[in-house]
Amino acid sequence: MHRVPWRLSSLLLVAILVGCTAAPPSSPAASGGDALAAARQEIDRAIERLVRQHPEPFHAITEAEFRREAEALGAQLGEMTPDEAMVGLMRLWARLAPQRDGHQFAFLAERTDEPILPLRVYEFAEGVYVTAAMAPHEDVVGSRLTAVAGRPIDEVLAALEPLVPRDGPATVPAFRPIFLLKVSVLRGLGLVGQGDVEITVADEGGTERRVELAPVPVAEFESWAGWLAYTGLPTREGLRHTQGIHDVFSVERLPEGGIYVRYAAVRPVDRGEVAEITELAADHPDEPVIVDLRQNPGGDNHEYPPILSALNDSAIDRPGKLLVLTDRVTFSAASNFSTEIEVGTDAVFIGEPMGGGLNFWDDVTFLQLPDYAVPMRVGISTRYWQKADADDTRLTIEPEVSVPVRAEDYFAGRDATLEAALAYAAEAAGR
């Protein structure tokens, strides 16, 4: 979102998610009183750095309340397993970020291992579905996840929600799968025990079966899963917005009419490619320009202005002509881009509310806590990005045309959101 490596923002969804120690279930007190005191001091050090670096650290909770909760966590560390202590710090840090601070994660230290469920999952309108699976579990792809270790999935999701930092409500279904796949998190919440994890899945007809999953190392999982491993949709034929970032930016004229602009990550774009938008719009003045920002987790704020300038062209910025597609993964610099489009044009938004906010905290720096009960790092936001009016109370952009993301459509390769955009454009042209 800024002049740091672009992946610091966008790969909060991928790269900085690495890390959980596969520690044995003993308490920090097992290492002696010095280790326990050091762990408590790490909490104090994190708060001291938070107060020093975040311009408004307690914008969502009073300082007194936050410090009470921090003291309570420190007091409980001697009775906690490492996994419980990890979850305790995740929960505490998320108390700072119930809105407008969705970048401010607490995770285990980088380059430490953690066990991951060998699946990719997505929270569709119909429930949580397995969208990909490592061998030998490919047969569960397309199944609905109904339970983890015998606990109903709704109970599991409710237990995970307090750990999720967010810009607004739409961030939760985007980020919650990050925590669902981390076995140490499930153990720290008391949802599963040591060893393999049993899940229950239901097929299309509703028939359930239980499957034992052996967790895999995080490096192996991420190498297999690829782009947006924890939060995105795997590539599906017929769904352009799931094609990853092999082509960060593309412009094409759809066979059914319409100029389709795909922007997969906020990275540098060749000016000649951007010019194709206005050229095609001039050649086809009666067709809509559809800007697809779904599954775009962000990047560098400095890279999207040329595209924004093209969209402001009078031949494009007309009622009913400029359409923007968003979903829960539209985040960070991509949500800033969306907000600037909304503020400065007559664009119509279609799809899901974006996971990113209109105005939000970011430019996160990470503090390493090597002497905590398990080595961890906490994010601290250092800048407030304001792209909408200061008094705008919205936490996201609610699309004018709401299209839920359905498992039925995804697995069939049907792009219901793009279809809705084309239908809206046709209706607008006929008015």
Side-chain angles (χ1 to χ4, degrees):
M1 288 201 48
H2 33 81
R3 288 293 181 185
V4 296
W6 73 273
R7 66 185 60 170
L8 180 59
S9 284
S10 62
L11 293 193
L12 275 167
L13 308 175
V14 183
I16 70 166
L17 306 181
V18 178
C20 262
T21 54
S26 60
S27 74
S31 301
D34 289 346
L36 185 57
R40 290 168 176 164
Q41 288 171 2
E42 290 286 60
I43 299 175
D44 294 337
R45 190 164 67 90
I47 297 173
E48 186 275 332
R49 181 72 66 84
L50 172 75
V51 171
R52 190 166 75 244
Q53 290 192 325
H54 197 306
E56 195 178 344
F58 305 108
H59 61 89
I61 184 174
T62 68
E63 180 174 359
E65 185 176 3
F66 183 77
R67 288 186 181 278
R68 281 196 299 270
E69 294 185 16
E71 289 175 6
L73 173 61
Q76 295 164 5
L77 284 179
E79 306 301 323
M80 288 180 164
T81 67
D83 292 331
E84 289 169 343
M86 174 196 71
V87 166
L89 188 58
M90 286 179 169
R91 182 184 292 109
L92 174 69
W93 218 246
R95 293 283 283 143
L96 298 165
Q99 62 182 34
R100 303 184 194 276
D101 222 340
H103 294 76
Q104 200 164 246
F105 282 87
F107 282 129
L108 294 194
E110 289 183 281
R111 298 181 180 84
T112 53
D113 193 23
E114 71 175 308
I116 304 290
L117 294 180
L119 309 170
R120 294 184 68 177
V121 298
Y122 208 79
E123 294 186 25
F124 293 98
E126 305 97 323
V128 180
Y129 280 72
V130 179
T131 55
M134 299 176 71
H137 302 293
E138 296 94 336
D139 62 336
V140 301
V141 174
S143 300
R144 182 166 54 88
L145 181 61
T146 62
V148 176
R151 297 176 182 269
I153 189 61
D154 287 346
E155 180 181 329
V156 174
L157 296 179
L160 294 170
E161 183 166 351
L163 310 183
V164 182
R166 65 201 72 175
D167 283 352
T171 319
V172 175
F175 286 172
R176 190 159 44 192
I178 298 170
F179 300 92
L180 176 59
L181 295 177
K182 294 175 179 287
V183 178
S184 295
V185 171
L186 299 177
R187 289 199 303 248
L189 289 168
L191 299 172
V192 305
Q194 297 294 314
D196 292 353
V197 176
E198 180 192 270
I199 64 170
T200 306
V201 296
D203 63 20
E204 189 175 354
T207 301
E208 292 190 337
R209 62 189 175 101
R210 296 178 179 179
V211 180
E212 292 284 336
L213 300 177
V216 298
V218 64
E220 181 180 341
F221 170 81
E222 292 185 356
S223 176
W224 163 77
W227 175 246
L228 298 181
Y230 300 89
T231 61
L233 288 165
T235 297
R236 199 81 181 173
E237 186 176 353
L239 303 177
R240 291 174 177 82
H241 65 291
T242 67
Q243 303 305 312
I245 58 167
H246 302 296
D247 293 314
V248 169
F249 182 84
S250 62
V251 183
E252 63 179 296
R253 183 167 177 262
L254 299 174
E256 55 269 63
I259 298 148
Y260 178 79
V261 181
R262 172 69 182 140
Y263 200 20
V266 185
R267 299 180 67 179
V269 176
D270 183 86
R271 297 298 178 98
E273 292 182 280
V274 176
E276 292 181 35
I277 304 173
T278 51
E279 291 168 3
L280 281 172
D283 291 341
H284 305 280
D286 297 326
E287 296 185 4
V289 173
I290 302 170
V291 181
D292 194 345
L293 299 177
R294 293 174 295 172
Q295 303 288 291
N296 182 330
D300 186 337
N301 266 332
H302 298 85
E303 302 299 347
Y304 67 69
I307 307 171
L308 182 64
S309 179
L311 300 180
N312 276 288
D313 188 286
S314 59
I316 296 173
D317 181 18
R318 295 185 296 173
K321 176 158 180 139
L322 177 57
L323 311 177
V324 179
L325 313 185
T326 59
D327 69 1
R328 71 193 69 172
V329 183
T330 309
F331 188 68
S332 197
S335 61
N336 273 339
F337 182 33
S338 299
T339 303
E340 291 214 54
I341 294 173
E342 189 209 38
V343 170
T345 73
D346 287 321
V348 172
F349 284 73
I350 297 172
E352 284 188 317
M354 60 187 188
L358 292 88
N359 301 325
F360 56 86
W361 297 94
D362 188 13
D363 289 30
V364 169
T365 63
F366 278 87
L367 173 65
Q368 304 299 321
L369 305 176
D371 294 326
Y372 186 63
V374 287
M376 293 190 71
R377 54 192 163 142
V378 294
I380 299 171
S381 298
T382 63
R383 176 174 176 175
Y384 191 64
W385 286 92
Q386 182 181 312
K387 296 297 183 179
D389 290 342
D391 59 356
D392 192 330
T393 60
R394 293 175 299 160
L395 298 177
T396 188
I397 296 173
E398 293 289 342
E400 184 171 329
V401 180
S402 176
V403 185
V405 179
R406 298 188 180 279
E408 179 182 7
D409 294 330
Y410 171 74
F411 289 108
R414 176 186 173 227
D415 195 335
T417 301
L418 183 56
E419 289 179 7
L422 292 169
Y424 180 93
E427 182 181 352
R431 288 173 189 163

